[in-house]
Amino acid sequence: MPESIFLPALRTEPEFSSLTRGLVIVILWSCSSRDAEQLETELRQYDLRTGGGFFLLEMPHNTGQIIKQCLTTLNYLFFFNRCPIFEPQNLTHVSEFLLMGLSDDPELQALLFGLFLSIYLVALLGNLLIILAVISDSHLHTPMYFFLSSLSLVDLGFITTTVPKMLVNIQTHSKSITYTGCLTQLSFFFLFGCSDNLLLAVMAYDRLVAICHPLHYLVIMKPRLCGLLVLVSFFSSFLDSQIHCLMVSQLTFCTNVEIPHFFCDAPQLLHLACSDTSTDNILIYFTGAIFGGIPVLGILYSYIQIVSSILRVPSSGERYKAFSTCGSHLSVVCLFYGTGLGVYLSSAVSSSPRKEAVASVMYSVVIPMLNPFIYSLRNKDIKNALWRIINRIASPQDLSYPFGS
């Protein structure tokens, strides 16, 4: 049933300001012909259609205030009938959002704080050790490990974008994040998320050259090309992040500023917007196809070539050795894109944004923590470099022998 509101005196009724969109029927009682003509004249410019003793009006966002200003001199009874398909929406300038997190249960907050603090510290330590090992050990000054250290740096930024704010909110019992802080978090999230995606494609190309063209590997993968590939990845990611940041900054938000997530995510912000988001949704799919689809196609092409090249090797031992050089990278690719696909499918099947937030923990928090372990446990060079670092820390007298046993 349509919702009805009786307003005996328009200028004293505060509820009128909430009627901001929808189909409104105005029926006049005790209205002189002169007043009716004045009303029709003043409202005709707002696409008013008249008929009999009532007016039909397709109301824009600010119509409530417009009509109120037009009718301050009139005093008679109105009947407003608002179509139920249009809900009232109060437009406002948003100064902050509320990150609802993963759970509203107070008893779980301490557990979540300890769990995510542990994950963050492990990710911080593991990725820093990978970077330190690659920098300090000259045996690791190769293209593969240069890309690996770049991936560790990106993973550090990726997890630091979301987890520290979540920990602060849990500790301070606050869910707020400023509008500027939300846009900043959104920008860095897409910057590091896209960089992760592009670097995985670059690493797949590196493995393609190493396995399919081993004799020309050092000729093709020159330091200048490696640096250029990383820079292009970062600049492309920066472009992607700024597109999303600019898109969200143009949105108009309502009084509901609760984000059912533990960080500011573009799809969740689009759901809160009062303005038309059809163009923004198209833009998200388009940028996703460019910055996400193209790297995935590059990874698939690289591994098709790698598998076909390995299958041509006659010795099973040589095939295993060749495949083991890209096993760690393949594991990370499967985890990253597998969890990302899982989040997409869960959001499509389930209508609960909270479940989608829990699923997104995998690719935004857990994978940056797991990457150092995946690469170090399956790589003897990394393990040897880490042991040398540990030995140097444990034995200060050996500091003068940086590559000693």
Side-chain angles (χ1 to χ4, degrees):
M1 293 292 294
E3 183 179 350
S4 301
I5 302 174
F6 286 87
L7 305 180
L10 180 65
R11 58 177 172 269
T12 61
E13 180 54 59
E15 278 191 87
F16 184 77
S17 62
S18 67
L19 294 170
T20 55
R21 180 183 290 185
L23 179 62
V24 175
I25 302 175
V26 183
I27 301 179
L28 311 179
W29 282 268
S30 303
C31 180
S32 66
S33 299
R34 181 171 174 271
D35 287 340
E37 290 175 0
Q38 179 183 353
L39 177 64
E40 181 177 358
T41 300
E42 291 175 341
L43 295 181
R44 188 179 297 278
Q45 57 181 314
Y46 304 111
D47 298 327
L48 186 69
R49 303 192 304 273
T50 63
F54 63 91
F55 296 85
L56 296 176
L57 174 65
E58 289 289 342
M59 299 184 72
H61 290 299
N62 59 343
T63 304
Q65 187 63 28
I66 292 172
I67 300 178
K68 188 173 181 179
Q69 291 174 355
C70 290
L71 303 179
T72 52
T73 60
L74 303 177
N75 190 13
Y76 35 71
L77 187 64
F78 291 85
F79 175 76
F80 285 83
N81 191 5
R82 186 168 69 257
C83 284
I85 57 173
F86 295 105
E87 292 297 330
Q89 300 184 11
N90 294 328
L91 302 181
T92 181
H93 175 68
V94 175
S95 59
E96 68 175 15
F97 294 97
L98 298 179
L99 297 174
M100 305 311 293
L102 299 175
S103 174
D104 295 324
D105 190 350
E107 297 180 356
L108 290 178
Q109 299 307 307
L111 176 62
L112 289 174
F113 181 84
L115 176 62
F116 279 87
L117 178 61
S118 301
I119 291 175
Y120 180 67
L121 292 178
V122 170
L124 195 67
L125 179 62
N127 285 288
L128 284 176
L129 283 176
I130 292 290
I131 296 172
L132 182 61
V134 172
I135 292 176
S136 62
D137 196 329
S138 60
H139 297 90
L140 303 182
H141 292 176
T142 62
M144 182 178 73
Y145 295 112
F146 171 69
F147 296 136
L148 176 58
S149 62
S150 300
L151 182 67
S152 294
L153 182 62
V154 168
D155 283 338
L156 276 178
F158 199 24
I159 194 172
T160 301
T161 300
T162 58
V163 173
K165 178 58 180 176
M166 178 186 181
L167 296 176
V168 169
N169 284 359
I170 293 176
Q171 186 67 20
T172 59
H173 305 287
S174 171
K175 297 181 179 181
S176 65
I177 181 172
T178 64
Y179 179 81
T180 303
C182 187
L183 287 182
T184 303
Q185 188 181 62
L186 175 79
S187 179
F188 278 107
F189 180 81
F190 278 96
L191 172 65
F192 293 118
C194 186
S195 296
D196 217 330
N197 185 35
L198 293 173
L199 282 176
L200 288 176
V202 169
M203 295 173 75
Y205 173 71
D206 173 72
R207 293 298 83 203
L208 168 67
V209 176
I211 293 175
C212 298
H213 309 283
L215 298 179
H216 302 91
Y217 178 70
L218 294 178
V219 176
I220 298 174
M221 302 302 295
K222 294 180 179 179
R224 180 177 296 180
L225 177 62
C226 296
L228 180 62
L229 290 173
V230 171
L231 285 177
V232 169
S233 299
F234 276 111
F235 279 116
S236 301
S237 303
F238 179 76
L239 176 62
D240 181 44
S241 70
Q242 293 309 298
I243 290 174
H244 284 86
C245 186
L246 181 62
M247 176 191 69
V248 172
S249 66
Q250 302 301 312
L251 297 176
T252 302
F253 295 97
C254 305
T255 54
N256 179 22
V257 292
E258 294 183 353
I259 302 175
H261 219 299
F262 65 96
F263 63 89
C264 289
D265 195 17
Q268 300 297 335
L269 291 172
L270 290 180
H271 291 158
L272 297 181
C274 292
S275 52
D276 181 30
T277 59
S278 57
T279 304
D280 301 309
N281 285 317
I282 294 174
L283 181 61
I284 285 182
Y285 285 119
F286 178 76
T287 55
I290 297 297
F291 296 103
I294 292 178
V296 170
L297 292 177
I299 292 173
L300 289 176
Y301 172 79
S302 297
Y303 274 102
I304 289 173
Q305 296 297 316
I306 288 171
V307 171
S308 63
S309 178
I310 290 176
L311 291 179
R312 290 196 296 268
V313 176
S315 172
S316 59
E318 291 296 324
R319 285 199 298 267
Y320 175 79
K321 183 178 179 181
F323 190 76
S324 64
T325 60
C326 56
S328 299
H329 177 261
L330 187 59
S331 301
V332 172
V333 167
C334 292
L335 278 173
F336 185 79
Y337 291 106
T339 53
L341 181 62
V343 170
Y344 175 78
L345 292 178
S346 66
S347 62
V349 174
S350 174
S351 59
S352 173
R354 190 62 62 86
K355 291 181 180 179
E356 181 183 344
V358 173
S360 66
V361 170
M362 280 300 297
Y363 73 85
S364 62
V365 177
V366 176
I367 290 181
M369 177 197 70
L370 292 179
N371 282 351
F373 294 97
I374 294 174
Y375 279 102
S376 61
L377 292 178
R378 296 179 58 89
N379 191 299
K380 292 182 179 180
D381 293 333
I382 291 289
K383 285 193 289 187
N384 291 335
L386 291 176
W387 275 116
R388 281 192 284 270
I389 292 175
I390 294 173
N391 288 334
R392 272 183 281 167
I393 294 174
S395 305
Q397 65 272 18
D398 295 337
L399 284 175
S400 57
Y401 305 95
F403 302 113
S405 58

